[in-house]
């Protein structure tokens, strides 16, 4: 049974999940900040091979949560799935410290992420009763943890990996994941008890009045999936093509200090911290006048801006080629 205590007006369990996810994202983005450089500079892979492996790795990272959700719903439950995922990822990060275990390390990380990722976010909503107005704010707080981990990890793991040794960077990521696991195990008593699924409703039940609505929702989810596939395929280039550009084609010397290329991967979460309050304020202003942009339009704007960012790189590449000549 969960212990009911509150911090800043929210259940203590929210902050357990906050720090667990923060350290998990620290480990994920810390490892990602080094991965493409490690394959090319240390394992001596051709750039094309390294990029293909990076793409396969990140693609499976986003695919396996589907099976992690099924695992939790039908067998282990959310808590044990999160614990299993955290253990697998911790092992995977430490295996990255050994060149001969590179492929097994990636497999552990992929499987661990699949078990972990879909089952920790859903626990945030379970902390609140239906209709509780604090739920939306809780997810906002939770995502701050994600971006904290994403911001600091390239600065810590990237610095250790690039300046002192790749294995130090990967080990730092492993330590971060281990800390997240310890936080989750300690705070389990503050998380909601999982109820068995006993509604007995099947999607093929002709007596289910919500069957039509369910099909519409599934179609809508499928449509959003197509959009997000394109979005994340481009977004994840931060750890691949953009990381390679930052390393090879960017003047990184500031006052005699050469900035590690991995630090550039901290810029995105930094801009999220800076710009999110402004965007949320704008949406609040729209809401007061009953003209707030719909969620699909917001997604479309995000995709447009992401695409525009890559278009900006075209003249940058042309200028770079001109100067090289």
């Amino acid at each position: 049974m969960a212990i009911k205590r509150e911090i800043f007006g929210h259940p203590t369990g929210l902050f357990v999940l906050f720090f667990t996810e923060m350290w998990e994202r620290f480990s994920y983005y810390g490892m990602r900040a080094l991965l493409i450089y490690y394959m090319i500079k240390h394992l001596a892979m051709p750039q094309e091979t390294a990029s293909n492996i990076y793409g396969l790795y990140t693609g499976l990272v986003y695919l396996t949560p589907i099976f992690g959700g099924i695992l939790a719903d039908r067998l282990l439950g959310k808590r044990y799935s999160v614990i299993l995922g955290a253990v697998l990822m911790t092992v995977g990060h430490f295996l990255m410290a050994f060149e001969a275990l590179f492929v097994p390390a990636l497999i552990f990380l992929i499987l661990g992420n699949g078990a972990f990722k879909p089952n920790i976010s859903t626990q945030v909503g379970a902390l609140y009763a239906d209709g509780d107005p604090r739920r939306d704010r809780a997810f906002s707080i939770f995502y701050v943890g994600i971006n904290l981990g994403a911001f600091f990890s390239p600065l810590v793991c990237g610095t250790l990996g690039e300046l002192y040794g790749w294995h130090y960077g990967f080990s730092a990521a492993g330590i971060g994941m281990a800390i997240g696991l310890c936080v989750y195990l300690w705070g389990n008593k503050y998380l909601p008890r999982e109820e068995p699924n006993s509604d007995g409703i099947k999607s093929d039940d002709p007596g289910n009045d919500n069957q039509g609505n369910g099909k519409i929702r599934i179609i809508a989810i499928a449509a959003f999936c197509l959009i997000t596939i394109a979005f994340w395929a481009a977004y994840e280039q931060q750890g691949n093509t953009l990381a390679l550009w930052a390393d090879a084609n960017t003047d990184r010397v500031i006052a005699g200090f050469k900035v590690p290329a991995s630090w550039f991967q901290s810029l995105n979460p930094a801009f999220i911290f800076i710009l999110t309050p402004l965007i949320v304020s704008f949406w609040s202003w729209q809401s007061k006048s009953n003209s707030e942009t719909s969620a699909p339009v917001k997604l479309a704007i995000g995709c447009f801006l992401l695409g525009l960012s890559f278009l900006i790189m075209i003249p940058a590449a042309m200028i770079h080629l001109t100067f090289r000549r």
Side-chain angles (χ1 to χ4, degrees):
M1 183 176 180
I3 299 175
K4 294 184 178 180
R5 293 178 183 172
E6 292 191 349
I7 301 176
F8 302 123
H10 286 274
T12 303
L14 173 63
F15 298 94
V16 172
L17 298 174
F18 173 98
F19 286 107
T20 302
E21 179 69 357
M22 183 192 77
W23 283 111
E24 187 275 329
R25 290 291 88 182
F26 175 93
S27 72
Y28 173 79
Y29 284 107
M31 180 269 192
R32 192 194 74 168
L34 294 172
L35 182 57
I36 194 73
Y37 302 140
Y38 177 71
M39 288 189 287
I40 293 175
K41 297 182 179 182
H42 187 73
L43 299 182
M45 291 184 184
Q47 185 265 313
E48 295 83 357
T49 302
S51 291
N52 286 334
I53 292 174
Y54 174 90
L56 181 62
Y57 166 73
T58 52
L60 291 173
V61 160
Y62 283 96
L63 176 64
T64 50
I66 296 174
F67 304 101
I70 295 172
L71 178 70
D73 288 343
R74 299 186 180 181
L75 186 62
L76 294 182
K78 295 181 180 64
R79 288 193 187 188
Y80 287 113
S81 294
V82 168
I83 293 170
L84 173 63
V87 170
L88 290 174
M89 284 190 288
T90 301
V91 172
H93 284 301
F94 284 118
L95 290 181
M96 287 291 293
F98 304 94
E99 293 91 341
L101 298 176
F102 176 68
V103 173
L106 292 183
I107 293 173
F108 269 86
L109 290 169
I110 290 166
L111 295 177
N113 180 84
F116 183 98
K117 195 60 182 171
N119 295 306
I120 190 165
S121 301
T122 54
Q123 292 183 68
V124 175
L127 292 166
Y128 302 87
D130 291 340
D132 191 326
R134 298 178 299 169
R135 180 180 289 183
D136 287 346
R137 294 194 293 273
F139 277 102
S140 297
I141 294 171
F142 181 73
Y143 286 119
V144 169
I146 292 175
N147 286 294
L148 274 174
F151 174 74
F152 285 109
S153 56
L155 302 179
V156 176
C157 300
T159 302
L160 289 173
E162 288 195 73
L163 300 185
Y164 299 100
W166 304 105
H167 307 321
Y168 291 110
F170 292 131
S171 296
I175 292 171
M177 189 65 254
I179 294 173
L181 174 60
C182 291
V183 170
Y184 189 79
L185 292 173
W186 170 84
N188 241 263
K189 56 184 175 290
Y190 298 108
L191 300 178
R193 184 168 62 90
E194 291 186 67
E195 299 290 343
N197 184 11
S198 59
D199 55 25
I201 297 176
K202 298 180 180 178
S203 61
D204 57 351
D205 181 4
N208 181 7
D209 292 335
N210 294 323
Q211 184 178 6
N213 290 335
K215 289 182 178 179
I216 292 174
R217 290 173 182 173
I218 290 174
I219 293 172
I221 290 172
F224 279 117
C225 282
L226 294 176
I227 296 171
T228 54
I229 286 172
F231 178 89
W232 288 105
Y235 181 89
E236 282 293 335
Q237 294 306 311
Q238 291 180 87
N240 185 21
T241 53
L242 292 180
L244 293 171
W245 178 274
D247 181 57
N249 303 315
T250 304
D251 183 0
R252 296 183 279 120
V253 178
I254 300 177
F257 172 70
K258 191 171 185 179
V259 175
S262 55
W263 284 18
F264 283 83
Q265 296 185 47
S266 288
L267 289 176
N268 183 73
F271 280 118
I272 290 175
F273 287 132
I274 295 170
L275 298 178
T276 294
L278 300 177
I279 295 173
V280 171
S281 297
F282 175 71
W283 287 340
S284 298
W285 174 77
Q286 282 188 322
S287 180
K288 291 177 182 178
S289 59
N290 295 320
S291 59
E292 184 175 357
T293 306
S294 66
V297 173
K298 291 175 182 177
L299 287 174
I301 294 173
C303 290
F304 171 78
L305 293 175
L306 181 64
L308 184 62
S309 68
F310 284 93
L311 292 178
I312 292 173
M313 291 301 297
I314 294 175
M318 295 174 66
I319 293 172
H320 173 73
L321 290 174
T322 300
F323 277 103
R324 286 186 63 180
R325 293 170 183 170

